[in-house]
Amino acid sequence: NEWNRKAFDLTGYSKEETMGRPLVKSFIGEEYQSSVQAVLTRACNGVETANFEFPLTTKDGRKIFILMNAATRRDASGQSVGVVGVGQDITELKEALSNSRTVADDLARLIDTANAPIFGINTEGKVTEWNRMASRITRFDKRMVVGKLMVDNFIHMEERERVQEVFNAALIGQEVANFQLPLCTKTGER
């Protein structure tokens, strides 16, 4: 039974306040109690768990997220006598990831709903993005174009070399402004 200084710093609970109390029932939110208990039980039975994530409730009621490794604690004869949990606070990391997902979702929505055709290609020239306006103008649905070579499939034959040069320049970081892209429509129109 151990509760170190870092555990105190993170939770606000002193060693004296935690000793003898059931860890899961006292400090883990109800929705995670069964999964945390399962990890601890497995560790008691010799099955260690790495990188298990769960929320821990602090003394002031905040929820922090811990990434824990649970290892079997053994006595001198090798018998299981408990669990050693080594964890780190990943609360800020989770918040940053959540914020990044929100920004990414917002940008994806902005691209998809823009009133101009927007497409993306990867370094192989395959379509990775195709917004609603590109679909409306060309009549090619996004599902039909993603993964296909942009120049070979969606640019008129006589314009392909010029467009490929522009894409090659863009792919090495050269800015290309005001380039009129001669897209093919599903019916072959420009």
Side-chain angles (χ1 to χ4, degrees):
N1 296 336
E2 188 56 52
W3 192 261
N4 67 12
R5 176 72 189 172
K6 188 63 177 177
F8 168 71
D9 291 343
L10 289 174
T11 66
Y13 288 106
S14 67
K15 183 175 182 174
E16 295 73 31
E17 292 174 292
T18 60
M19 290 299 105
R21 292 178 66 185
L23 175 70
V24 174
K25 292 280 185 211
S26 301
F27 305 105
I28 307 296
E30 205 172 305
E31 69 275 16
Y32 285 87
Q33 287 181 359
S34 63
S35 59
V36 172
Q37 186 62 58
V39 166
L40 298 176
T41 299
R42 282 194 304 271
C44 280
N45 293 324
V47 180
E48 299 181 354
T49 300
N51 298 325
F52 179 73
E53 186 180 310
F54 66 94
L56 191 66
T57 305
T58 65
K59 190 172 184 176
D60 62 7
R62 291 178 300 114
K63 188 186 289 187
I64 61 172
F65 287 89
I66 303 297
L67 184 65
M68 181 181 77
N69 293 334
T72 306
R73 183 175 179 187
R74 299 184 185 279
D75 64 15
S77 67
Q79 294 297 310
S80 173
V81 294
V83 176
V84 176
V86 178
Q88 61 185 25
D89 181 7
I90 58 167
T91 307
E92 288 181 12
L93 175 64
K94 283 189 68 72
E95 289 170 359
L97 287 172
S98 175
N99 290 341
S100 293
R101 277 189 217 105
T102 299
V103 169
D105 289 346
D106 289 347
L107 290 174
R109 256 189 313 284
L110 180 65
I111 288 169
D112 197 44
T113 60
N115 63 359
I118 298 175
F119 67 90
I121 61 169
N122 63 18
T123 56
E124 297 170 352
K126 293 181 180 178
V127 178
T128 57
E129 185 57 57
W130 192 263
N131 75 348
R132 290 179 193 173
M133 186 57 76
S135 292
R136 184 186 307 161
I137 289 170
T138 65
R139 297 186 200 109
F140 284 112
D141 186 77
K142 182 176 183 173
R143 292 174 300 214
M144 298 168 71
V145 299
V146 169
K148 294 194 174 151
L149 291 170
M150 177 74 171
V151 172
D152 292 353
N153 292 289
F154 307 106
I155 303 297
H156 285 278
M157 181 71 79
E158 64 274 7
E159 299 287 346
R160 287 180 183 169
E161 186 177 332
R162 186 173 67 93
V163 171
Q164 189 63 59
E165 288 172 7
V166 169
F167 285 175
N168 290 342
L171 287 168
I172 61 170
Q174 295 176 1
E175 284 195 34
V176 179
N178 300 320
F179 178 73
Q180 192 169 21
L181 187 66
L183 286 172
C184 290
T185 68
K186 196 172 188 180
T187 58
E189 301 169 35
R190 279 189 152 189

